[in-house]
Amino acid sequence: MKYTTLPNSDIKVSKICLGTMTWGNQNTEAEGHEQMDYAVEHGVNFFDTAEMYPVPANPETQGRTSKIIGTWFKKTGNRDKVVLASKIIGRSSDYSAHIRTTGLTSESIKEAIDKELQRLQTDYIDLYQIHWPERLTNTFGIRDYKHDPSDEWKDNFNEVLHALDEQIQAGKIRHVGMSNEKAWGAMRYMEESKTHKLPRMSTIQNAYSLINRVFEGDMAEVSIRENIGLLAYSPMAFGVLSGKYIKGIAGDDARLKLYPRFARYSSEQSTEATKRYLKIAEDNNMTLAQMSLAFVNQQPFLTSNIIGASKMEQLKENIDSIDITLNENILEQINAVHAVIPNPAP
């Protein structure tokens, strides 16, 4: 395994982070425990969850993923071996209104952390993240920003950081991060931190993969210049970058067959780009999954690459990607595809 340091801390984290959002829906508790056992045995010390998980979110399963992590902590006593990250939802939509409708207030942040600590059976969370912006902006497959003057959101960056600071002072969380954020929001957080000596965002958890390199725009510069590390999620684009869909070998339990509404990864352009990336991988004696993850692992702005798997063989292949280094020739071939079909799944 290779390791980095959580920005602005002395916490060592594995460059492969274990994503957990299938546990409690596609995966049982026993399967989640098996994945955590294997990951820790192979040097992974970084786990990521959220109060909303598993995904897709619904009232019946909400919080089940974190409960599975909690029972594993209790069973193994391995809490001290894991850097644990979790997330609080932003302003609710119909998708998440069953969790809360109050938005990010001091009270809702405290309540969310207390409930998550109970589920996780721990007394602290190493990295606590804002799951998505509360303002209306171009996230989750929306390519361009179009301002909506009817948005009633009020600037609350200062209030959110003050609330998080209270939880740091209480010893319940150690560091803070953001997720699905844009350059403006990231810099607003940094402005409030510097001006008012409030907690500093250490990380940003955004989608990043061969078919979604949007982060390489403004956010890459923000990440490097402000030392905010990327926690890359969906590096396999919901399994599309395994090649199983274009090869026609995806099982009925494959994620995009179970949840076809995640169609951003299945467009005609995404499929064509994936076919081209598959050829590059096979021409260089790699699986597409290995090449896709190795590409993410090599990025200079990356702190950790969040892998997720519903099957153990997938998990093993994903973790093994840390041992692969793509040479300049392969990177040139990848960038040639990107130049022709840029970001088909933003």
Side-chain angles (χ1 to χ4, degrees):
M1 184 49 60
K2 298 175 183 175
Y3 298 89
T4 56
T5 301
L6 199 69
N8 312 298
S9 82
D10 58 359
I11 299 175
K12 183 177 76 170
V13 293
S14 49
K15 288 197 78 171
I16 297 292
C17 175
L18 183 61
T20 62
M21 72 178 186
T22 61
W23 304 351
N25 192 338
Q26 286 177 269
N27 289 105
T28 65
E29 178 182 53
E31 289 169 340
H33 285 196
E34 183 183 15
Q35 288 194 28
M36 286 183 277
D37 287 340
Y38 184 89
V40 169
E41 287 169 6
H42 290 79
V44 174
N45 76 336
F46 195 13
F47 295 179
D48 178 73
T49 186
E51 65 171 352
M52 184 182 75
Y53 291 171
V55 170
N58 68 67
E60 290 72 31
T61 62
Q62 187 259 319
R64 192 179 289 172
T65 299
S66 296
K67 289 179 180 178
I68 290 172
I69 297 173
T71 57
W72 182 80
F73 283 153
K74 183 177 182 180
K75 179 179 75 173
T76 64
N78 279 345
R79 176 65 185 93
D80 62 341
K81 295 182 179 179
V82 173
V83 179
L84 181 62
S86 188
K87 299 181 284 292
I88 179 174
I89 63 166
R91 182 169 59 172
S92 294
S93 63
D94 292 342
Y95 182 66
S96 57
H98 58 278
I99 302 175
R100 77 178 56 82
T101 57
T102 55
L104 294 174
T105 65
S106 179
E107 293 77 15
S108 67
I109 289 171
K110 180 181 183 302
E111 179 187 44
I113 291 173
D114 287 343
K115 288 182 176 179
E116 185 71 338
L117 291 173
Q118 290 175 6
R119 287 187 286 262
L120 290 164
Q121 299 195 47
T122 185
D123 55 5
Y124 70 98
I125 296 167
D126 295 284
L127 177 67
Y128 198 63
Q129 306 153 96
I130 306 302
H131 208 150
W132 59 76
E134 292 195 292
R135 67 190 188 280
L136 298 180
T137 189
N138 51 317
T139 55
F140 302 117
I142 302 173
R143 187 178 293 274
D144 301 316
Y145 176 70
K146 293 180 175 60
H147 188 66
D148 184 348
S150 68
D151 185 8
E152 297 179 354
W153 171 80
K154 303 296 183 183
D155 188 321
N156 64 342
F157 290 99
N158 186 279
E159 179 184 358
V160 168
L161 288 176
H162 269 291
L164 293 171
D165 189 38
E166 289 175 1
Q167 298 305 302
I168 291 173
Q169 299 307 316
K172 296 177 183 179
I173 61 176
R174 299 177 69 188
H175 297 277
V176 294
M178 51 194 157
S179 180
N180 297 297
E181 190 50 273
K182 313 301 290 186
W184 183 81
M187 291 308 300
R188 280 291 292 114
Y189 275 122
M190 297 307 293
E191 178 184 30
E192 292 298 323
S193 297
K194 293 172 183 177
T195 303
H196 301 286
K197 297 182 179 179
L198 290 166
R200 191 181 190 283
M201 291 295 184
S202 294
T203 56
I204 180 165
Q205 184 176 149
N206 280 18
Y208 183 75
S209 70
L210 284 175
I211 58 175
N212 180 359
R213 295 169 59 175
V214 172
F215 192 85
E216 293 177 18
D218 291 348
M219 277 311 310
E221 182 177 13
V222 171
S223 172
I224 290 171
R225 293 191 185 278
E226 297 291 337
N227 193 27
I228 304 171
L230 173 65
L231 306 181
Y233 79 80
S234 291
M236 293 283 292
F238 273 47
V240 167
L241 289 171
S242 69
K244 62 186 176 185
Y245 295 103
I246 59 176
K247 288 182 175 182
I249 58 174
D252 291 339
D253 59 348
R255 193 155 186 80
L256 287 179
K257 289 193 175 183
L258 290 174
Y259 311 116
R261 72 182 186 82
F262 295 108
R264 69 197 259 199
Y265 301 111
S266 306
S267 67
E268 182 180 339
Q269 295 90 340
S270 294
T271 300
E272 178 59 31
T274 301
K275 288 178 180 178
R276 298 188 189 195
Y277 290 130
L278 176 62
K279 184 177 188 310
I280 295 171
E282 292 180 340
D283 287 348
N284 288 277
N285 301 309
M286 288 180 289
T287 67
L288 179 55
Q290 290 171 329
M291 187 181 82
S292 298
L293 293 171
F295 174 79
V296 176
N297 294 340
Q298 288 178 225
Q299 298 306 315
F301 40 74
L302 183 83
T303 290
S304 195
N305 188 2
I306 305 174
I307 60 161
S310 58
K311 296 180 172 60
M312 283 301 297
E313 59 266 28
Q314 297 169 339
L315 180 68
K316 294 173 182 178
E317 181 180 31
N318 291 353
I319 291 176
D320 287 347
S321 72
I322 200 65
D323 297 320
I324 297 173
T325 300
L326 305 182
N327 62 37
E328 286 301 319
N329 178 258
I330 296 173
L331 292 173
E332 287 175 3
Q333 293 177 63
I334 287 172
N335 286 329
V337 175
H338 178 62
V340 177
I341 314 175
N343 302 320

